Amino acid sequence: MSLYAQLLQRAAEQRPIRIALIGAGKFGSMYLAQVPRTPGVHLAAIADLSPDAARANLARVGWAPEQAQASSLDQALQTGQTWLTEDWQAVVRHPAIDVVVECTGHPIAAVEHCLDAFAHGKHVVNVTVEADAFCGPLLARRAAEAGVVYSMAFGDQPALICDLVDWARTCGFPVVAAGRGHKWLPHFSESTPETVWGYYGLTPEQAQRGGLNPKMFNSFLDGSKPAIESSAVANATGLGVPSNGLLYPPASVEDIPFVTRPRSEGGVLERKGMVEVISSLETDGRRIPYDIRMGVWVTVEAETDYIKHCFEEYNAHTDPSGRYFTLYKRWHLIGLEVGMSVASVALRREATGVATGWHADVVATAKRDLRPGDLLDGEGGYTVWGKLLPAETSRRLGGLPLGLAHQVKVIRPVAKGQCLSWDDVAMDTQTPAWRTRRAMEDLFGMP
């Protein structure tokens, strides 16, 4: 039975999936816009550190004010309304909640939210992929031990890429490469929240009018978010990652099957079976027509002449050899698609992407020369960007994961372009996020 048919059945039985959302920012608001239009679900609670901002976002997406007027979670369950609170623990620990959607965008807090949800028997859809990038394999293990499902969020690119990889493998195709698109030039890695809008073609005034967060947007531009998402995909699918960071080959949709081949056959990959990100800009900055900037893709190989001939007979667009074919989605709809994950984990008990091993890591890398006393400011900030590396390489370097490079003091000089290590910083070792990361290294790390 399809997910939608099952949702209709739950609605007819007056037995909706009961959901708690933590974080009602931009991504969360996009999901909030869809919830009233989805049968068989009840968003019973929203936890946000700023209830006033959350109410403003509810109004922005079209909620009637009375819909979020419940004075408690119990009242929300009785009336079908939604309880808005600052107390995330109260919503995570309530026995009636089925699924927690973690949507804060704060990786250290997200780890605590996920672990507490598992401990109280809740499935988790984790939108905060920054957390998944540095300890997703252990979060998945903890969820399984608790008998619940932990999942990436559909609509965000990692889950969509995992879906394409699953399609390919289920059809019997070997996956040569998979990934997303991005607007990229090498000097973007040095961008800060002060320079980001110029690269996006916006004025600071336009960005302020739209309520756009410069640090969040800069985390995409400087390569941190593509690295984070690629790490999550590699850990979920077992695909490899480049030995010294993403290459960002420029290509139109038409050229993806040509570019995403091994170097030995004229492409850019070190070998078959890799994640990569395709740039929508030529190396001289010219925009590529019909790009994949906002989309996802997977390249597969015809292993026999018969399959190659099928590609030809059905006019599938391939590389010149006729053996490599790319399937793609040119767009993703971000929070508008999260309902797929909620339904999948609640009704099928199936994740829409989840880490199965530790294959990749994102290491904090200096944007400028760093001095003792400098304070790291995480993804999209002024001090570091994220470099994708094989997990084995990160472990050997003692690499500082980008997701933990928040409000951390530098204690040794680090040159611009150098990856930071644990020894370069003074870490707070009391957080659940730090303990979870170190436990993951012990469990999955290489000797």
Side-chain angles (χ1 to χ4, degrees):
M1 185 185 293
S2 72
L3 289 175
Y4 183 64
Q6 292 182 66
L7 289 172
L8 289 174
Q9 182 174 319
R10 293 288 286 260
E13 295 171 352
Q14 297 185 343
R15 196 167 52 90
I17 302 166
R18 291 166 167 172
I19 306 157
L21 174 69
I22 306 179
K26 175 61 175 174
F27 203 116
S29 295
M30 296 181 80
Y31 178 52
L32 291 170
Q34 296 295 82
V35 167
R37 297 164 175 80
T38 308
V41 300
H42 175 202
L43 184 64
I46 300 170
D48 195 282
L49 293 176
S50 177
D52 289 342
R55 289 189 192 282
N57 282 339
L58 286 170
R60 182 177 290 115
V61 303
W63 278 44
E66 60 271 16
Q67 182 58 36
Q69 292 301 318
S71 60
S72 68
L73 210 162
D74 287 328
Q75 185 186 52
L77 295 169
Q78 292 170 3
T79 63
Q81 294 179 321
T82 299
W83 181 45
L84 182 56
T85 178
E86 297 178 59
D87 188 353
W88 68 267
Q89 290 178 323
V91 301
V92 164
R93 297 177 181 184
H94 195 287
I97 294 298
D98 300 309
V99 180
V100 173
V101 180
E102 208 302 324
C103 208
T104 63
H106 191 295
I108 296 173
V111 172
E112 185 175 3
H113 299 159
C114 290
L115 292 174
D116 204 60
F118 302 156
H120 290 86
K122 315 302 182 190
H123 304 306
V124 174
V125 175
N126 184 18
V127 175
T128 307
V129 69
E130 295 87 350
D132 193 87
F134 77 83
C135 64
L138 192 64
L139 291 177
R141 177 70 64 92
R142 294 289 180 259
E145 290 169 350
V148 296
V149 179
Y150 168 73
S151 177
M152 297 182 198
F154 210 79
D156 222 355
Q157 285 155 313
L160 299 181
I161 298 167
C162 289
D163 190 53
L164 289 178
V165 170
D166 189 57
W167 163 84
R169 290 170 169 168
T170 303
C171 291
F173 291 116
V175 174
V176 179
R180 53 164 286 177
H182 185 52
K183 177 183 178 181
W184 176 258
L185 292 172
H187 65 274
F188 288 175
S189 65
E190 301 174 14
S191 178
T192 71
E194 289 183 4
T195 63
V196 62
W197 300 129
Y199 292 129
Y200 271 99
L202 297 172
T203 65
E205 292 74 22
Q206 288 173 317
Q208 186 175 13
R209 181 188 65 199
L212 306 182
N213 182 331
K215 192 168 184 285
M216 185 272 287
F217 272 78
N218 197 50
S219 72
F220 284 91
L221 184 76
D222 71 8
S224 296
K225 187 68 73 124
I228 287 165
E229 295 186 344
S230 297
S231 175
V233 171
N235 289 335
T237 63
L239 293 172
V241 301
S243 60
N244 193 33
L246 291 164
L247 300 174
Y248 297 101
S252 67
V253 167
E254 184 176 1
D255 288 335
I256 294 175
F258 179 83
V259 169
T260 56
R261 303 178 297 176
R263 291 173 186 165
S264 60
E265 298 182 46
V268 303
L269 304 182
E270 296 173 21
R271 58 179 173 82
K272 296 177 184 178
M274 306 280 286
V275 296
E276 191 50 81
V277 175
I278 299 295
S279 176
S280 64
L281 298 176
E282 298 284 8
T283 54
D284 60 4
R286 287 179 297 126
R287 182 179 176 275
I288 294 172
Y290 203 66
D291 61 63
I292 195 72
R293 177 182 175 185
M294 301 299 291
V296 296
W297 52 271
V298 62
T299 298
V300 301
E301 182 181 6
E303 292 188 293
T304 67
D305 285 342
Y306 179 82
I307 298 171
K308 173 182 172 181
H309 295 157
C310 287
F311 285 171
E312 180 183 333
E313 292 156 9
Y314 286 89
N315 202 30
H317 183 75
T318 66
D319 76 312
S321 76
R323 291 175 46 229
Y324 295 101
F325 164 72
T326 299
L327 186 72
Y328 64 94
K329 288 185 176 181
R330 197 161 179 243
W331 306 101
H332 69 299
L333 297 181
I334 319 173
L336 300 178
E337 299 181 71
V338 172
M340 287 290 294
S341 291
V342 171
S344 182
V345 302
L347 300 173
R348 293 178 176 164
R349 296 183 65 87
E350 183 176 290
T352 53
V354 63
T356 59
W358 189 30
H359 309 292
D361 204 14
V362 181
V363 178
T365 304
K367 284 187 175 181
R368 56 174 174 80
D369 289 342
L370 300 175
R371 300 182 299 274
D374 285 344
L375 203 62
L376 303 183
D377 54 357
E379 301 89 353
Y382 292 85
T383 57
V384 290
W385 59 281
K387 185 173 184 177
L388 179 68
L389 292 172
E392 183 176 2
T393 302
S394 175
R395 180 65 182 263
R396 188 173 64 250
L397 296 173
L400 174 68
L402 182 65
L404 287 177
H406 290 254
Q407 300 301 302
V408 176
K409 187 174 291 187
V410 176
I411 60 174
R412 300 196 309 187
V414 181
K416 177 181 176 181
Q418 179 180 323
C419 290
L420 280 81
S421 73
W422 296 110
D423 293 336
D424 295 322
V425 296
M427 289 297 305
D428 179 358
T429 61
Q430 302 306 308
T431 66
W434 183 87
R435 292 195 297 268
T436 302
R437 166 65 188 216
R438 296 304 253 181
M440 187 193 75
E441 292 182 356
D442 291 340
L443 186 62
F444 293 95
M446 287 62 64

PDB file of all heavy atoms in Angstrom, residues 183-203 217-218 221-222 281 293:
ATOM      1  N   LYS A 183      26.795  25.772  -6.851  1.00  0.00           N
ATOM      2  CA  LYS A 183      27.477  26.911  -7.481  1.00  0.00           C
ATOM      3  C   LYS A 183      28.843  27.042  -6.821  1.00  0.00           C
ATOM      4  O   LYS A 183      28.929  27.402  -5.640  1.00  0.00           O
ATOM      5  CB  LYS A 183      26.635  28.176  -7.268  1.00  0.00           C
ATOM      6  CG  LYS A 183      27.265  29.454  -7.813  1.00  0.00           C
ATOM      7  CD  LYS A 183      26.379  30.660  -7.489  1.00  0.00           C
ATOM      8  CE  LYS A 183      27.019  31.944  -7.988  1.00  0.00           C
ATOM      9  NZ  LYS A 183      26.173  33.131  -7.667  1.00  0.00           N
ATOM     10  N   TRP A 184      29.901  26.768  -7.571  1.00  0.00           N
ATOM     11  CA  TRP A 184      31.210  26.669  -6.916  1.00  0.00           C
ATOM     12  C   TRP A 184      32.347  27.216  -7.755  1.00  0.00           C
ATOM     13  O   TRP A 184      32.471  26.944  -8.949  1.00  0.00           O
ATOM     14  CB  TRP A 184      31.534  25.215  -6.600  1.00  0.00           C
ATOM     15  CG  TRP A 184      32.911  25.020  -6.023  1.00  0.00           C
ATOM     16  CD1 TRP A 184      34.024  24.564  -6.669  1.00  0.00           C
ATOM     17  CD2 TRP A 184      33.321  25.332  -4.688  1.00  0.00           C
ATOM     18  NE1 TRP A 184      35.098  24.544  -5.813  1.00  0.00           N
ATOM     19  CE2 TRP A 184      34.697  25.014  -4.577  1.00  0.00           C
ATOM     20  CE3 TRP A 184      32.659  25.832  -3.572  1.00  0.00           C
ATOM     21  CZ2 TRP A 184      35.415  25.191  -3.405  1.00  0.00           C
ATOM     22  CZ3 TRP A 184      33.379  26.004  -2.390  1.00  0.00           C
ATOM     23  CH2 TRP A 184      34.740  25.686  -2.324  1.00  0.00           C
ATOM     24  N   LEU A 185      33.191  28.018  -7.095  1.00  0.00           N
ATOM     25  CA  LEU A 185      34.523  28.378  -7.558  1.00  0.00           C
ATOM     26  C   LEU A 185      35.459  28.249  -6.357  1.00  0.00           C
ATOM     27  O   LEU A 185      35.030  28.459  -5.207  1.00  0.00           O
ATOM     28  CB  LEU A 185      34.555  29.805  -8.105  1.00  0.00           C
ATOM     29  CG  LEU A 185      33.775  30.045  -9.405  1.00  0.00           C
ATOM     30  CD1 LEU A 185      33.722  31.535  -9.722  1.00  0.00           C
ATOM     31  CD2 LEU A 185      34.390  29.268 -10.564  1.00  0.00           C
ATOM     32  N   PRO A 186      36.727  27.904  -6.556  1.00  0.00           N
ATOM     33  CA  PRO A 186      37.600  27.598  -5.417  1.00  0.00           C
ATOM     34  C   PRO A 186      37.684  28.694  -4.355  1.00  0.00           C
ATOM     35  O   PRO A 186      37.756  28.400  -3.160  1.00  0.00           O
ATOM     36  CB  PRO A 186      38.959  27.349  -6.081  1.00  0.00           C
ATOM     37  CG  PRO A 186      38.609  26.844  -7.446  1.00  0.00           C
ATOM     38  CD  PRO A 186      37.377  27.600  -7.844  1.00  0.00           C
ATOM     39  N   HIS A 187      37.659  29.971  -4.772  1.00  0.00           N
ATOM     40  CA  HIS A 187      37.822  31.030  -3.769  1.00  0.00           C
ATOM     41  C   HIS A 187      36.581  31.210  -2.895  1.00  0.00           C
ATOM     42  O   HIS A 187      36.633  31.913  -1.885  1.00  0.00           O
ATOM     43  CB  HIS A 187      38.186  32.361  -4.439  1.00  0.00           C
ATOM     44  CG  HIS A 187      37.117  32.931  -5.327  1.00  0.00           C
ATOM     45  ND1 HIS A 187      36.993  32.571  -6.649  1.00  0.00           N
ATOM     46  CD2 HIS A 187      36.126  33.825  -5.078  1.00  0.00           C
ATOM     47  CE1 HIS A 187      35.981  33.233  -7.184  1.00  0.00           C
ATOM     48  NE2 HIS A 187      35.432  34.002  -6.244  1.00  0.00           N
ATOM     49  N   PHE A 188      35.476  30.542  -3.231  1.00  0.00           N
ATOM     50  CA  PHE A 188      34.294  30.624  -2.371  1.00  0.00           C
ATOM     51  C   PHE A 188      34.575  30.057  -0.981  1.00  0.00           C
ATOM     52  O   PHE A 188      33.887  30.396  -0.016  1.00  0.00           O
ATOM     53  CB  PHE A 188      33.117  29.861  -2.989  1.00  0.00           C
ATOM     54  CG  PHE A 188      32.499  30.524  -4.192  1.00  0.00           C
ATOM     55  CD1 PHE A 188      31.501  29.888  -4.902  1.00  0.00           C
ATOM     56  CD2 PHE A 188      32.918  31.772  -4.625  1.00  0.00           C
ATOM     57  CE1 PHE A 188      30.911  30.474  -6.006  1.00  0.00           C
ATOM     58  CE2 PHE A 188      32.347  32.373  -5.741  1.00  0.00           C
ATOM     59  CZ  PHE A 188      31.337  31.728  -6.432  1.00  0.00           C
ATOM     60  N   SER A 189      35.576  29.181  -0.864  1.00  0.00           N
ATOM     61  CA  SER A 189      35.874  28.584   0.447  1.00  0.00           C
ATOM     62  C   SER A 189      36.321  29.636   1.450  1.00  0.00           C
ATOM     63  O   SER A 189      36.286  29.388   2.661  1.00  0.00           O
ATOM     64  CB  SER A 189      36.956  27.504   0.313  1.00  0.00           C
ATOM     65  OG  SER A 189      38.188  28.074  -0.102  1.00  0.00           O
ATOM     66  N   GLU A 190      36.734  30.798   0.975  1.00  0.00           N
ATOM     67  CA  GLU A 190      37.170  31.873   1.863  1.00  0.00           C
ATOM     68  C   GLU A 190      36.035  32.833   2.213  1.00  0.00           C
ATOM     69  O   GLU A 190      36.226  33.763   3.001  1.00  0.00           O
ATOM     70  CB  GLU A 190      38.312  32.649   1.211  1.00  0.00           C
ATOM     71  CG  GLU A 190      39.523  31.799   0.872  1.00  0.00           C
ATOM     72  CD  GLU A 190      40.586  32.573   0.102  1.00  0.00           C
ATOM     73  OE1 GLU A 190      40.500  33.828   0.075  1.00  0.00           O
ATOM     74  OE2 GLU A 190      41.486  31.941  -0.460  1.00  0.00           O
ATOM     75  N   SER A 191      34.859  32.636   1.662  1.00  0.00           N
ATOM     76  CA  SER A 191      33.758  33.570   1.874  1.00  0.00           C
ATOM     77  C   SER A 191      33.334  33.613   3.342  1.00  0.00           C
ATOM     78  O   SER A 191      33.410  32.620   4.066  1.00  0.00           O
ATOM     79  CB  SER A 191      32.564  33.175   1.003  1.00  0.00           C
ATOM     80  OG  SER A 191      31.468  34.038   1.227  1.00  0.00           O
ATOM     81  N   THR A 192      32.875  34.778   3.763  1.00  0.00           N
ATOM     82  CA  THR A 192      32.382  34.989   5.119  1.00  0.00           C
ATOM     83  C   THR A 192      30.960  35.551   5.045  1.00  0.00           C
ATOM     84  O   THR A 192      30.478  35.900   3.961  1.00  0.00           O
ATOM     85  CB  THR A 192      33.275  35.988   5.884  1.00  0.00           C
ATOM     86  OG1 THR A 192      33.064  37.305   5.348  1.00  0.00           O
ATOM     87  CG2 THR A 192      34.744  35.614   5.778  1.00  0.00           C
ATOM     88  N   PRO A 193      30.278  35.662   6.177  1.00  0.00           N
ATOM     89  CA  PRO A 193      28.943  36.264   6.145  1.00  0.00           C
ATOM     90  C   PRO A 193      28.922  37.686   5.600  1.00  0.00           C
ATOM     91  O   PRO A 193      27.862  38.171   5.196  1.00  0.00           O
ATOM     92  CB  PRO A 193      28.520  36.226   7.626  1.00  0.00           C
ATOM     93  CG  PRO A 193      29.237  35.035   8.186  1.00  0.00           C
ATOM     94  CD  PRO A 193      30.575  35.056   7.505  1.00  0.00           C
ATOM     95  N   GLU A 194      30.060  38.372   5.576  1.00  0.00           N
ATOM     96  CA  GLU A 194      30.108  39.727   5.021  1.00  0.00           C
ATOM     97  C   GLU A 194      30.189  39.727   3.506  1.00  0.00           C
ATOM     98  O   GLU A 194      29.753  40.696   2.862  1.00  0.00           O
ATOM     99  CB  GLU A 194      31.300  40.485   5.595  1.00  0.00           C
ATOM    100  CG  GLU A 194      31.148  40.853   7.061  1.00  0.00           C
ATOM    101  CD  GLU A 194      32.317  41.676   7.567  1.00  0.00           C
ATOM    102  OE1 GLU A 194      33.201  42.014   6.761  1.00  0.00           O
ATOM    103  OE2 GLU A 194      32.356  41.979   8.771  1.00  0.00           O
ATOM    104  N   THR A 195      30.734  38.681   2.919  1.00  0.00           N
ATOM    105  CA  THR A 195      30.923  38.657   1.462  1.00  0.00           C
ATOM    106  C   THR A 195      29.895  37.810   0.732  1.00  0.00           C
ATOM    107  O   THR A 195      29.812  37.856  -0.493  1.00  0.00           O
ATOM    108  CB  THR A 195      32.323  38.120   1.117  1.00  0.00           C
ATOM    109  OG1 THR A 195      32.438  36.756   1.576  1.00  0.00           O
ATOM    110  CG2 THR A 195      33.413  38.957   1.762  1.00  0.00           C
ATOM    111  N   VAL A 196      29.087  37.048   1.465  1.00  0.00           N
ATOM    112  CA  VAL A 196      28.247  36.027   0.840  1.00  0.00           C
ATOM    113  C   VAL A 196      27.235  36.599  -0.143  1.00  0.00           C
ATOM    114  O   VAL A 196      26.999  36.031  -1.216  1.00  0.00           O
ATOM    115  CB  VAL A 196      27.539  35.180   1.922  1.00  0.00           C
ATOM    116  CG1 VAL A 196      26.611  36.030   2.782  1.00  0.00           C
ATOM    117  CG2 VAL A 196      26.786  34.030   1.291  1.00  0.00           C
ATOM    118  N   TRP A 197      26.620  37.754   0.191  1.00  0.00           N
ATOM    119  CA  TRP A 197      25.522  38.225  -0.664  1.00  0.00           C
ATOM    120  C   TRP A 197      26.014  38.658  -2.033  1.00  0.00           C
ATOM    121  O   TRP A 197      25.294  38.512  -3.034  1.00  0.00           O
ATOM    122  CB  TRP A 197      24.765  39.347   0.030  1.00  0.00           C
ATOM    123  CG  TRP A 197      24.158  38.927   1.329  1.00  0.00           C
ATOM    124  CD1 TRP A 197      24.270  39.556   2.534  1.00  0.00           C
ATOM    125  CD2 TRP A 197      23.371  37.747   1.574  1.00  0.00           C
ATOM    126  NE1 TRP A 197      23.609  38.857   3.515  1.00  0.00           N
ATOM    127  CE2 TRP A 197      23.047  37.749   2.955  1.00  0.00           C
ATOM    128  CE3 TRP A 197      22.915  36.706   0.771  1.00  0.00           C
ATOM    129  CZ2 TRP A 197      22.273  36.737   3.543  1.00  0.00           C
ATOM    130  CZ3 TRP A 197      22.159  35.687   1.355  1.00  0.00           C
ATOM    131  CH2 TRP A 197      21.849  35.717   2.718  1.00  0.00           C
ATOM    132  N   GLY A 198      27.226  39.172  -2.116  1.00  0.00           N
ATOM    133  CA  GLY A 198      27.759  39.529  -3.422  1.00  0.00           C
ATOM    134  C   GLY A 198      27.890  38.330  -4.337  1.00  0.00           C
ATOM    135  O   GLY A 198      27.579  38.397  -5.531  1.00  0.00           O
ATOM    136  N   TYR A 199      28.306  37.195  -3.779  1.00  0.00           N
ATOM    137  CA  TYR A 199      28.421  35.975  -4.574  1.00  0.00           C
ATOM    138  C   TYR A 199      27.050  35.448  -4.989  1.00  0.00           C
ATOM    139  O   TYR A 199      26.922  34.799  -6.032  1.00  0.00           O
ATOM    140  CB  TYR A 199      29.170  34.901  -3.784  1.00  0.00           C
ATOM    141  CG  TYR A 199      30.624  35.215  -3.540  1.00  0.00           C
ATOM    142  CD1 TYR A 199      31.167  35.148  -2.256  1.00  0.00           C
ATOM    143  CD2 TYR A 199      31.466  35.572  -4.586  1.00  0.00           C
ATOM    144  CE1 TYR A 199      32.504  35.416  -2.021  1.00  0.00           C
ATOM    145  CE2 TYR A 199      32.807  35.864  -4.360  1.00  0.00           C
ATOM    146  CZ  TYR A 199      33.321  35.777  -3.078  1.00  0.00           C
ATOM    147  OH  TYR A 199      34.640  36.052  -2.860  1.00  0.00           O
ATOM    148  N   TYR A 200      26.042  35.709  -4.177  1.00  0.00           N
ATOM    149  CA  TYR A 200      24.689  35.269  -4.513  1.00  0.00           C
ATOM    150  C   TYR A 200      23.969  36.248  -5.437  1.00  0.00           C
ATOM    151  O   TYR A 200      22.857  35.979  -5.892  1.00  0.00           O
ATOM    152  CB  TYR A 200      23.849  35.075  -3.243  1.00  0.00           C
ATOM    153  CG  TYR A 200      23.941  33.691  -2.656  1.00  0.00           C
ATOM    154  CD1 TYR A 200      24.787  33.426  -1.581  1.00  0.00           C
ATOM    155  CD2 TYR A 200      23.192  32.637  -3.164  1.00  0.00           C
ATOM    156  CE1 TYR A 200      24.877  32.156  -1.031  1.00  0.00           C
ATOM    157  CE2 TYR A 200      23.288  31.366  -2.619  1.00  0.00           C
ATOM    158  CZ  TYR A 200      24.122  31.135  -1.553  1.00  0.00           C
ATOM    159  OH  TYR A 200      24.212  29.871  -1.015  1.00  0.00           O
ATOM    160  N   GLY A 201      24.574  37.416  -5.684  1.00  0.00           N
ATOM    161  CA  GLY A 201      23.926  38.408  -6.532  1.00  0.00           C
ATOM    162  C   GLY A 201      22.848  39.190  -5.816  1.00  0.00           C
ATOM    163  O   GLY A 201      21.922  39.713  -6.445  1.00  0.00           O
ATOM    164  N   LEU A 202      22.955  39.286  -4.473  1.00  0.00           N
ATOM    165  CA  LEU A 202      21.991  40.036  -3.677  1.00  0.00           C
ATOM    166  C   LEU A 202      22.694  41.173  -2.952  1.00  0.00           C
ATOM    167  O   LEU A 202      23.890  41.097  -2.650  1.00  0.00           O
ATOM    168  CB  LEU A 202      21.316  39.134  -2.637  1.00  0.00           C
ATOM    169  CG  LEU A 202      20.465  37.976  -3.140  1.00  0.00           C
ATOM    170  CD1 LEU A 202      20.054  37.105  -1.961  1.00  0.00           C
ATOM    171  CD2 LEU A 202      19.233  38.485  -3.871  1.00  0.00           C
ATOM    172  N   THR A 203      21.953  42.234  -2.662  1.00  0.00           N
ATOM    173  CA  THR A 203      22.482  43.275  -1.802  1.00  0.00           C
ATOM    174  C   THR A 203      22.169  42.909  -0.351  1.00  0.00           C
ATOM    175  O   THR A 203      21.224  42.149  -0.086  1.00  0.00           O
ATOM    176  CB  THR A 203      21.843  44.636  -2.107  1.00  0.00           C
ATOM    177  OG1 THR A 203      20.443  44.578  -1.774  1.00  0.00           O
ATOM    178  CG2 THR A 203      22.005  45.000  -3.583  1.00  0.00           C
ATOM    179  N   PHE A 217      23.484  30.796   4.703  1.00  0.00           N
ATOM    180  CA  PHE A 217      23.692  30.810   3.255  1.00  0.00           C
ATOM    181  C   PHE A 217      25.176  30.649   2.927  1.00  0.00           C
ATOM    182  O   PHE A 217      25.535  30.000   1.941  1.00  0.00           O
ATOM    183  CB  PHE A 217      23.140  32.105   2.655  1.00  0.00           C
ATOM    184  CG  PHE A 217      21.687  32.023   2.293  1.00  0.00           C
ATOM    185  CD1 PHE A 217      20.707  32.116   3.262  1.00  0.00           C
ATOM    186  CD2 PHE A 217      21.288  31.828   0.979  1.00  0.00           C
ATOM    187  CE1 PHE A 217      19.365  32.025   2.947  1.00  0.00           C
ATOM    188  CE2 PHE A 217      19.946  31.735   0.642  1.00  0.00           C
ATOM    189  CZ  PHE A 217      18.989  31.832   1.628  1.00  0.00           C
ATOM    190  N   ASN A 218      26.033  31.220   3.761  1.00  0.00           N
ATOM    191  CA  ASN A 218      27.463  31.101   3.503  1.00  0.00           C
ATOM    192  C   ASN A 218      27.959  29.680   3.704  1.00  0.00           C
ATOM    193  O   ASN A 218      28.934  29.262   3.071  1.00  0.00           O
ATOM    194  CB  ASN A 218      28.245  32.057   4.401  1.00  0.00           C
ATOM    195  CG  ASN A 218      29.653  32.280   3.911  1.00  0.00           C
ATOM    196  OD1 ASN A 218      29.880  32.581   2.735  1.00  0.00           O
ATOM    197  ND2 ASN A 218      30.620  32.118   4.791  1.00  0.00           N
ATOM    198  N   LEU A 221      27.662  28.276   0.350  1.00  0.00           N
ATOM    199  CA  LEU A 221      28.576  28.858  -0.624  1.00  0.00           C
ATOM    200  C   LEU A 221      30.009  28.398  -0.406  1.00  0.00           C
ATOM    201  O   LEU A 221      30.714  28.063  -1.369  1.00  0.00           O
ATOM    202  CB  LEU A 221      28.506  30.387  -0.555  1.00  0.00           C
ATOM    203  CG  LEU A 221      29.350  31.090  -1.607  1.00  0.00           C
ATOM    204  CD1 LEU A 221      28.684  31.042  -2.975  1.00  0.00           C
ATOM    205  CD2 LEU A 221      29.625  32.537  -1.209  1.00  0.00           C
ATOM    206  N   ASP A 222      30.472  28.367   0.860  1.00  0.00           N
ATOM    207  CA  ASP A 222      31.896  28.094   1.094  1.00  0.00           C
ATOM    208  C   ASP A 222      32.257  26.610   0.990  1.00  0.00           C
ATOM    209  O   ASP A 222      33.405  26.237   1.231  1.00  0.00           O
ATOM    210  CB  ASP A 222      32.351  28.679   2.437  1.00  0.00           C
ATOM    211  CG  ASP A 222      31.813  27.956   3.670  1.00  0.00           C
ATOM    212  OD1 ASP A 222      31.188  26.883   3.518  1.00  0.00           O
ATOM    213  OD2 ASP A 222      32.028  28.467   4.782  1.00  0.00           O
ATOM    214  N   LEU A 281      29.120  26.418 -12.449  1.00  0.00           N
ATOM    215  CA  LEU A 281      29.931  27.480 -13.030  1.00  0.00           C
ATOM    216  C   LEU A 281      31.175  26.893 -13.693  1.00  0.00           C
ATOM    217  O   LEU A 281      31.817  25.990 -13.142  1.00  0.00           O
ATOM    218  CB  LEU A 281      30.381  28.482 -11.959  1.00  0.00           C
ATOM    219  CG  LEU A 281      29.303  29.260 -11.210  1.00  0.00           C
ATOM    220  CD1 LEU A 281      29.945  30.117 -10.138  1.00  0.00           C
ATOM    221  CD2 LEU A 281      28.487  30.113 -12.162  1.00  0.00           C
ATOM    222  N   ARG A 293      22.489  22.718 -10.449  1.00  0.00           N
ATOM    223  CA  ARG A 293      22.812  23.405  -9.201  1.00  0.00           C
ATOM    224  C   ARG A 293      21.885  23.025  -8.051  1.00  0.00           C
ATOM    225  O   ARG A 293      22.333  22.807  -6.931  1.00  0.00           O
ATOM    226  CB  ARG A 293      22.760  24.923  -9.426  1.00  0.00           C
ATOM    227  CG  ARG A 293      23.005  25.726  -8.160  1.00  0.00           C
ATOM    228  CD  ARG A 293      22.900  27.213  -8.417  1.00  0.00           C
ATOM    229  NE  ARG A 293      23.024  27.976  -7.178  1.00  0.00           N
ATOM    230  CZ  ARG A 293      22.875  29.292  -7.104  1.00  0.00           C
ATOM    231  NH1 ARG A 293      22.610  29.995  -8.205  1.00  0.00           N
ATOM    232  NH2 ARG A 293      22.990  29.915  -5.938  1.00  0.00           N
TER     233      ARG A 293
END
